[in-house]
Amino acid sequence: MSETVLNWGIVGCGLISQDFCTALRAAKMSNHVLKSCAARSLERSKQFSERFEIPNYYGSYDELFNDKTVNIVYIGTTNNTHKEVCLKAISAGKNVLCEKPMTLNQQDQEEVFKAAKEKGVFFMEALWTRFFPIMKKFKEQISNGSIGDIRFIMSSFMLPIKSVDRINMRELGGGGLLDIGIYPIQMICNLMGHERPLKISCSGHLMPSGCDECASITLLFKNNRMAVINMCTTSVQYARTSVVGDKGTIEIPDFSWCPVEFIKADRSIHKEPLPECQGINFFNSFGLSYEAEACREALSKGLFHIQKIKINLN
């Protein structure tokens, strides 16, 4: 059997798409090929293609979806466009890796999943944290009994991003929860094995635009366990995850959304630094190559999705 090769089409030529391509090239994986890119501006798409040595470039997304050389697309457009772009890609028969958040609400999310299932294509939301190699070790340290039974988890992501225009614009899917709050949310879901909370409560503050500026979310689980999610768009960076059991504690001290170290129950530090990756825009972006490889492995096994991550915070 021949090895599965992913021929990528890059939809949107912004900063995160730049890092995705930079990561793929730095990883030097021969079974991932950058075939095409598209932006709303043909000139911008051309510049992107020249930078990353991509043979085909287009001035519209529809043209890329019609490119027969592409068998999977990475969608890195603004939040408010994700649903429409995903549905068009799926309709064209493309496998899809879509940047988070895949949609702005649960109803649109289910519409995208339904379309992908009916078309028989692969779909995954790009929650890259789950595919960092260190996350497997982190979860193993929790399950091996070193902290006993989980009693409390607190996961936070605070970053001074309020001044970024799109964060203040509801029409672009702005606000802190969809941008950074999604990471501690998925962390809790992951560590709690996707168990449904008994109760969810949330409090916070809004920006003048109506977008969420900061929030604290409490989740109550059976057997008197609980978790707290904290998000803030006006503070210094703070992205810590603490898992507290009845025998000990294990923690990711910072960069919980793209971790490279954690503190074990015996307080020793386990580190897994990432390979060098020059020219990136965001922290630890080499890790984007791990989610790309997860897509390839899933497709090679005939899977159409990797476990869905869903929690209703309405």
Side-chain angles (χ1 to χ4, degrees):
M1 179 183 293
S2 60
E3 186 176 36
T4 299
V5 175
L6 298 191
N7 294 319
W8 289 94
I10 307 301
V11 184
C13 296
L15 296 179
I16 189 63
S17 293
Q18 293 171 23
D19 278 14
F20 183 79
C21 292
T22 300
L24 283 186
R25 295 179 69 181
K28 298 179 180 179
M29 297 183 289
S30 61
N31 40 27
H32 292 268
V33 183
L34 295 172
K35 282 288 187 179
S36 301
C37 63
R40 290 173 294 181
S41 161
L42 182 61
E43 181 58 30
R44 188 177 187 187
S45 180
K46 180 182 179 182
Q47 292 173 357
F48 192 92
S49 72
E50 290 172 348
R51 175 178 174 181
F52 295 105
E53 300 178 327
I54 300 173
N56 306 310
Y57 62 91
Y58 304 105
S60 74
Y61 304 150
D62 288 341
E63 289 179 279
L64 186 147
F65 297 148
N66 289 325
D67 186 335
K68 303 300 182 183
T69 68
V70 170
N71 60 11
I72 187 168
V73 297
Y74 171 79
I75 297 175
T77 58
T78 54
N79 293 350
N80 61 309
T81 66
H82 287 178
K83 175 192 172 184
E84 177 186 0
V85 177
C86 283
L87 290 176
K88 285 187 175 181
I90 290 167
S91 179
K94 304 301 185 188
N95 299 300
V96 176
L97 173 63
C98 179
E99 249 323 313
K100 57 80 191 166
M102 58 175 282
T103 62
L104 301 184
N105 57 62
Q106 184 177 345
Q107 180 179 344
D108 289 349
Q109 180 189 63
E110 293 300 336
E111 184 177 345
V112 171
F113 282 136
K114 182 174 183 288
K117 183 177 181 179
E118 291 177 348
K119 194 68 176 180
V121 297
F122 174 87
F123 180 91
M124 189 176 85
E125 185 177 27
L127 285 167
W128 64 326
T129 311
R130 295 193 161 209
F131 305 107
F132 274 64
I134 201 169
M135 283 304 301
K136 181 179 179 181
K137 300 281 182 62
F138 185 67
K139 293 183 70 175
E140 286 174 353
Q141 284 293 310
I142 295 172
S143 62
N144 71 6
S146 64
I147 66 168
D149 295 329
I150 294 176
R151 304 307 308 162
F152 188 96
I153 304 176
M154 183 168 69
S155 188
S156 303
F157 196 172
M158 305 181 189
L159 203 64
I161 58 172
K162 184 180 177 181
S163 60
V164 178
D165 287 343
R166 64 179 177 81
I167 299 298
N168 286 271
M169 302 172 69
R170 295 185 68 180
E171 61 271 25
L172 294 183
L177 278 174
L178 289 177
D179 198 79
I180 58 176
I182 193 171
Y183 288 107
I185 290 171
Q186 70 84 28
M187 179 68 78
I188 299 297
C189 291
N190 190 7
L191 298 180
M192 294 300 290
H194 299 272
E195 180 180 333
R196 181 179 293 275
L198 301 174
K199 182 180 179 180
I200 302 173
S201 57
C202 178
S203 60
H205 295 288
L206 299 177
M207 304 175 194
S209 65
C211 293
D212 46 285
E213 178 177 309
C214 59
S216 184
I217 304 168
T218 301
L219 300 91
L220 301 183
F221 295 91
K222 64 183 180 181
N223 299 325
N224 292 345
R225 295 164 300 144
M226 64 184 296
V228 175
I229 295 159
N230 298 308
M231 178 281 299
C232 183
T233 62
T234 56
S235 73
V236 296
Q237 178 185 314
Y238 181 83
R240 189 180 190 95
T241 295
S242 300
V243 185
V244 184
D246 55 10
K247 294 181 181 178
T249 301
I250 185 171
E251 299 174 283
I252 300 174
D254 203 351
F255 298 96
S256 281
W257 78 101
C258 53
V260 292
E261 67 176 20
F262 64 83
I263 303 170
K264 299 163 69 173
D266 63 7
R267 312 324 288 164
S268 64
I269 300 176
H270 176 83
K271 296 185 178 183
E272 292 192 26
L274 300 180
E276 186 175 351
C277 190
Q278 298 292 332
I280 55 177
N281 300 297
F282 303 110
F283 293 116
N284 294 341
S285 278
F286 180 88
L288 294 169
S289 65
Y290 299 137
E291 66 181 5
E293 179 59 10
C295 292
R296 194 195 67 81
E297 291 178 358
L299 283 164
S300 69
K301 296 174 183 177
L303 302 177
F304 291 110
H305 69 271
I306 297 176
Q307 185 176 5
K308 291 189 287 187
I309 304 164
K310 182 173 64 175
I311 186 167
N312 186 358
L313 293 176
N314 293 330

